[in-house]
């Protein structure tokens, strides 16, 4: 559905709460088997990565990172977390995602889904091909 130009005049950029809702919708739209595997991974939303993350990753700008998996992936630690281990989580960074959205032709929902799949995919040690197949399945509504 096309949006009339005057409708854009009244719109605000999606808030952190809006992004959280987009992330929940994206998670619900993932294939059931993948959702079940990812049940222990929490999702957080922030405007930008922390300065420590920017420094540790050697980023030129906080706009260079759309999302981040934080924790110990199953590919590296097995299925059972060690005692005292922080929960695995995915961070979505609102401002870099909005910047990416403004420069590309994907919908905001497609970008959020893409980032979630790739960051959660790190938890499982999935290949890029595996993650592309998951994105295609999510687009088909499987």
């Amino acid at each position: 559905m096309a949006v009339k130009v005057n409708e854009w005049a009244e719109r605000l950029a999606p808030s952190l709460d809006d992004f959280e809702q987009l992330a929940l919708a994206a998670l619900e739209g993932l294939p059931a088997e993948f959702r079940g595997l990812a049940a222990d991974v929490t999702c957080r939303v922030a405007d930008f990565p922390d300065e420590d993350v920017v420094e540790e990753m050697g980023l030129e700008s906080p706009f260079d990172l759309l999302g981040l998996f934080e924790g110990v992936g199953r590919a590296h630690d097995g299925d059972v977390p060690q005692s005292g281990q922080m929960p695995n989580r995915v961070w979505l960074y609102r401002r870099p995602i909005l910047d990416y959205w403004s420069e590309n032709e994907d919908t905001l929902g497609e970008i959020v889904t893409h980032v979630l799949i790739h960051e959660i995919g790190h938890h499982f040690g999935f290949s890029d091909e595996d993650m592309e197949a998951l994105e295609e399945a999510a687009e088909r509504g499987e």
Side-chain angles (χ1 to χ4, degrees):
M1 177 176 139
V3 177
K4 295 179 185 178
V5 174
N6 61 355
E7 290 179 34
W8 282 105
E10 300 298 319
R11 291 187 180 207
L12 299 173
S15 68
L16 290 172
D17 288 339
D18 295 331
F19 258 73
E20 190 171 315
Q21 294 304 313
L22 277 169
L24 291 173
L27 285 169
E28 290 172 9
L30 296 176
E33 184 177 328
F34 186 71
R35 268 195 334 265
L37 290 172
D40 68 326
V41 179
T42 61
C43 184
R44 303 276 190 222
V45 179
D47 273 325
F48 288 105
D50 292 338
E51 288 181 29
D52 292 344
V53 170
V54 172
E55 187 176 310
E56 284 174 25
M57 296 187 79
L59 303 175
E60 290 182 27
S61 163
F63 281 97
D64 292 342
L65 190 62
L66 305 181
L68 177 70
F69 173 78
E70 187 177 74
V72 179
R74 287 186 177 175
H76 300 101
D77 192 41
D79 289 336
V80 180
Q82 296 176 9
S83 177
Q85 180 177 310
M86 294 297 291
N88 291 325
R89 70 181 122 204
V90 169
W91 285 95
L92 297 178
Y93 300 119
R94 185 181 77 98
R95 295 282 308 279
I97 290 173
L98 289 174
D99 192 56
Y100 180 88
W101 177 49
S102 74
E103 296 176 357
N104 291 279
E105 301 213 4
D106 299 318
T107 67
L108 188 54
E110 289 170 340
I111 295 166
V112 168
T113 299
H114 172 81
V115 174
L116 276 173
I117 287 173
H118 278 259
E119 297 308 326
I120 292 171
H122 291 304
H123 175 62
F124 297 107
F126 287 177
S127 69
D128 286 338
E129 292 81 19
D130 293 335
M131 291 185 266
E132 287 173 21
L134 284 166
E135 281 186 70
E136 290 172 11
E139 288 173 13
R140 292 189 304 268
E142 295 178 359

